[in-house]
Amino acid sequence: MHGSLEPLTLAKRRGTYRERPAPASLAAHVECLWSHVMPEGQASRMAVVPDGSVDIIWSHSGLALAGPDRVAAFPVIGSGETLIGLRFRTGIAACWLRTPLSQITGTIVPLDDLWGRDARDLDARMTEAADTSARSAILAEVVKRRIPMVAAPPCEVSACLDLLRHGRSASDNPIRSLAQTTGTSERTLRRRCHEHFGYGAKTLDRVLRLQRFLAACDAQAGASLTALALECGYADQAHLTREARELTSLSPREIQRQLAG
């Protein structure tokens, strides 16, 4: 089906991808606003690697919500298409959507399935806007207006995310480690993870470790894969290779090459 397409490429290396920080009023909830312009010519098959986040995405096809992914997604985006996005911080989106993320994991759903008329009105405004900057501003403005309706996630969600991001626990059962630290039951923590992350803590741990590897490749061009594997929390280079292929379909060497290029 994809025989005529170009080789698989990391999404951020396909076309022109740009991020900018969220406005201060949204910074507690939103990681960034982004735009992605596809190149002219062949349709672009790309790997959107899992990052633990949920995005609102506008294109000329309308507004959609991209749920959290366990493994890379491989969308084929049309030649010259422009995407505008807003990325929620990990663990936040379920409160905005009032929907357990486990119900939308690995899927893309029309935003009006969740926001109804508000989503349709937002789509119309963004479609009529003059350019990418104006569309991003409209999206940020509409999301900002919804802040008073959003409750904070449970404290154990933030505690779990902090443990996995900064503790880098080698435990095969991070939920048990967190339960022992916080005094919360493992059953409650599992339920919270599936509701607010879209999957369990062990999957989130794999995703965050992959993101550490991607960031290290960006920051340390030419570093050995063995050193990067240990720095990012893998047992060894073989562990890194297995995880990278399972989560992205690319080898660590190819990821490193693309990020260096």
Side-chain angles (χ1 to χ4, degrees):
M1 176 172 145
H2 299 306
S4 63
L5 299 176
E6 296 177 6
L8 183 62
T9 305
L10 292 170
K12 291 181 181 180
R13 288 295 184 261
R14 173 70 69 183
T16 303
Y17 175 83
R18 292 192 174 96
E19 291 181 2
R20 65 179 181 85
S25 57
L26 285 174
H29 305 265
V30 175
E31 182 177 323
C32 67
L33 295 160
W34 55 266
S35 64
H36 201 164
V37 182
M38 295 295 113
E40 299 290 344
Q42 285 183 299
S44 301
R45 182 177 179 238
M46 56 190 187
V48 180
V49 301
D51 60 6
S53 299
V54 172
D55 293 67
I56 296 175
I57 302 174
W58 178 90
S59 72
H60 290 94
S61 300
L63 273 167
L65 188 82
D69 287 317
R70 289 185 173 86
V71 296
F74 306 102
V76 178
I77 311 297
S79 169
E81 176 67 274
T82 296
L83 309 178
I84 309 293
L86 178 145
R87 182 167 302 133
F88 288 107
R89 292 194 180 278
T90 303
I92 292 290
C95 297
W96 281 80
L97 305 173
R98 300 181 183 178
T99 299
L101 294 192
S102 56
Q103 294 184 11
I104 60 170
T105 299
T107 65
I108 296 178
V109 298
L111 188 60
D112 65 6
D113 284 1
L114 297 166
W115 284 3
R117 182 175 176 177
D118 288 348
R120 294 190 290 275
D121 290 345
L122 172 58
D123 181 32
R125 289 183 62 195
M126 293 182 70
T127 300
E128 293 168 3
D131 54 29
T132 295
S133 179
R135 289 180 177 122
S136 291
I138 290 168
L139 179 56
E141 171 203 338
V142 168
V143 169
K144 177 183 174 181
R145 289 207 304 261
R146 300 180 73 91
I147 288 178
M149 299 183 283
V150 178
C155 60
E156 57 264 32
V157 171
S158 299
C160 183
L161 185 58
D162 185 66
L163 172 76
L164 297 178
R165 273 188 171 154
H166 305 296
R168 301 192 183 183
S169 171
S171 170
D172 287 335
N173 191 337
I175 282 290
R176 182 174 301 157
S177 299
L178 181 61
Q180 292 170 349
T181 300
T182 64
T184 309
S185 74
E186 291 185 38
R187 182 177 179 180
T188 296
L189 288 171
R190 288 194 183 94
R191 185 175 69 250
R192 296 295 196 201
C193 285
H194 283 270
E195 180 180 356
H196 291 274
F197 302 132
Y199 33 60
K202 192 167 184 178
T203 298
L204 180 60
D205 194 25
R206 297 178 73 200
V207 167
L208 295 177
R209 189 166 50 213
L210 172 67
Q211 286 296 317
R212 289 198 293 271
F213 172 66
L214 297 176
C217 287
D218 249 342
Q220 303 175 47
S224 76
L225 289 177
T226 298
L228 291 176
L230 296 176
E231 176 185 334
C232 296
Y234 295 95
D236 51 31
Q237 185 176 337
H239 183 204
L240 166 62
T241 298
R242 289 194 304 273
E243 289 281 289
R245 286 196 178 279
E246 288 179 15
L247 296 181
T248 74
S249 295
L250 292 166
S251 71
R253 184 71 66 195
E254 179 59 18
I255 291 171
Q256 187 180 45
R257 185 193 68 79
Q258 290 192 27
L259 292 176

